[in-house]
């Protein structure tokens, strides 16, 4: 699938993004919220796979306010002090509120392509951002998924579980078997918030994998677990987005 590099006008500047179109008319649109290592070939590959299922896929650079930066090697970036420090500065300097402001512009970019039905999926730091986008734009986002998303139900004021009552989308959350950024108590808190809000949701624990298992260039990438994630996700979007 051909990738088109575009720029999206936001309230804070211009965000670069990759836009991936399917070979035929798009059945729906997806926004892929990146993990902590930024846009790169591994995410392009995932977007192309989504496009192969008939979706128009937008992969925005959430760190655009700090550009230029990187590139980072996902296998080693958090094990080397220099790159770890730079990454943590990017993550902490790109708040949930910033991405919430940006998400309207991301949705508009897909709408400009004639896409009316839109879903979101986020990995790692993108998981919470996908859920917050669904809460912020309940009439525009009909499906929201998170994989190895961190702090989905933490004590932070911007943790997405606090906005569960605003979510109208169907929700799927895939969690790693052991993940310090999303321990069992947070999973229970998120489940209760979604249940009380009467959200149609699934939280599924991928027992034998680690945080980051879905993304092919990650140090803990697990092919079996990743293919299970693809099976669940394509079924989820197929049922929800068409």
């Amino acid at each position: 699938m051909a990738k088109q590099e575009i720029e999206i006008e936001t309230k804070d500047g211009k965000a670069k993004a990759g836009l991936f179109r399917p070979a035929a008319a798009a059945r729906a649109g997806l926004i892929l919220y990146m993990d902590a290592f930024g846009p790169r070939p591994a995410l392009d590959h995932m977007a192309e796979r989504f496009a192969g299922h008939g979706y128009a896929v937008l992969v925005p650079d959430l760190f655009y306010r700090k550009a230029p930066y990187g590139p980072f090697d996902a296998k080693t970036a958090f094990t080397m002090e220099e790159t770890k420090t730079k990454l943590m500065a990017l993550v902490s300097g790109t708040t949930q509120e910033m991405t919430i402001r940006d998400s309207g512009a991301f949705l508009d970019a897909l709408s400009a392509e004639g896409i009316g039905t839109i879903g979101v999926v986020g990995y790692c730091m993108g998981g919470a951002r996908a859920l917050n986008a669904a809460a912020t734009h309940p009439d525009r986002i009909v499906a929201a998924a998170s994989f190895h998303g961190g702090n989905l139900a933490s004590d932070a004021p911007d943790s997405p579980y606090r906005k569960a009552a605003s979510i109208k989308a169907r929700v799927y959350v895939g969690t790693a078997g052991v993940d310090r950024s999303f321990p069992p108590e947070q999973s229970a808190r998120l489940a209760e918030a979604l249940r009380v809000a009467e959200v149609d949701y699934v939280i599924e624990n991928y027992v034998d994998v680690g945080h980051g298992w879905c993304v092919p260039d990650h140090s803990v990438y697990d092919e079996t677990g990743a293919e299970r994630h693809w099976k669940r996700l394509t079924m989820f979007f197929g049922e929800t987005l068409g």
Side-chain angles (χ1 to χ4, degrees), residues 100-183:
I100 287 169
R101 288 203 304 273
D102 295 338
S103 290
F106 300 158
L107 289 164
D108 289 344
L110 283 176
S111 295
E113 295 290 314
I115 306 296
T117 304
I118 297 175
V120 294
V121 58
Y123 297 86
C124 182
M125 63 170 262
R129 292 160 203 265
L131 296 185
N132 272 332
T136 307
H137 300 280
D139 297 322
R140 302 182 71 182
I141 295 173
V142 299
S146 164
F147 285 89
H148 49 86
N151 300 310
L152 304 183
S154 70
D155 293 331
D158 56 8
S159 187
Y161 89 98
R162 299 181 185 277
K163 300 181 180 181
S166 298
I167 296 175
K168 294 181 182 178
R170 285 185 64 189
V171 170
Y172 180 96
V173 176
T175 69
V178 178
D179 190 342
R180 290 179 297 174
S181 70
F182 190 63

Side-chain angles (χ1 to χ4, degrees), residues 19-237:
L19 178 61
F20 300 79
R21 295 182 181 88
R27 59 198 291 191
L30 292 176
I31 300 173
L32 193 162
Y33 287 86
M34 67 191 205
D35 60 10
F37 305 106
R40 59 195 189 281
L43 296 189
D44 289 350
H45 172 76
M46 296 174 76
E48 289 169 353
R49 187 160 175 176
F50 282 123
H53 289 280
Y55 301 109
V57 187
L58 186 72
V59 186
D61 180 6
L62 304 185
F63 293 152
Y64 70 91
R65 296 171 181 85
K66 307 293 184 179
Y69 63 85
F72 299 104
D73 183 341
K75 289 184 172 65
T76 62
F78 274 118
T79 63
M80 301 170 61
E81 196 58 37
E82 180 182 358
T83 51
K84 179 180 178 180
T85 300
K86 290 179 179 178
L87 271 175
M88 293 308 297
L90 285 169
V91 173
S92 62
T94 306
T95 66
Q96 290 284 343
E97 185 55 40
M98 289 176 179
T99 306
I100 287 169
R101 288 203 304 273
D102 295 338
S103 290
F106 300 158
L107 289 164
D108 289 344
L110 283 176
S111 295
E113 295 290 314
I115 306 296
T117 304
I118 297 175
V120 294
V121 58
Y123 297 86
C124 182
M125 63 170 262
R129 292 160 203 265
L131 296 185
N132 272 332
T136 307
H137 300 280
D139 297 322
R140 302 182 71 182
I141 295 173
V142 299
S146 164
F147 285 89
H148 49 86
N151 300 310
L152 304 183
S154 70
D155 293 331
D158 56 8
S159 187
Y161 89 98
R162 299 181 185 277
K163 300 181 180 181
S166 298
I167 296 175
K168 294 181 182 178
R170 285 185 64 189
V171 170
Y172 180 96
V173 176
T175 69
V178 178
D179 190 342
R180 290 179 297 174
S181 70
F182 190 63
E185 56 269 24
Q186 282 197 37
S187 182
R189 184 184 292 170
L190 177 63
E192 178 65 6
L194 294 171
R195 184 191 67 79
V196 170
E198 299 184 346
V199 174
D200 183 355
Y201 79 95
V202 171
I203 298 177
E204 185 171 5
N205 184 20
Y206 290 61
V207 176
D208 296 321
V209 298
H211 178 91
W213 86 89
C214 299
V215 185
D217 66 346
H218 200 288
S219 61
V220 299
Y221 173 70
D222 183 278
E223 184 175 5
T224 300
E227 288 304 311
R228 178 180 163 195
H229 131 274
W230 281 109
K231 181 179 179 180
R232 297 289 196 276
L233 194 51
T234 53
M235 182 180 297
F236 172 70
F237 284 143

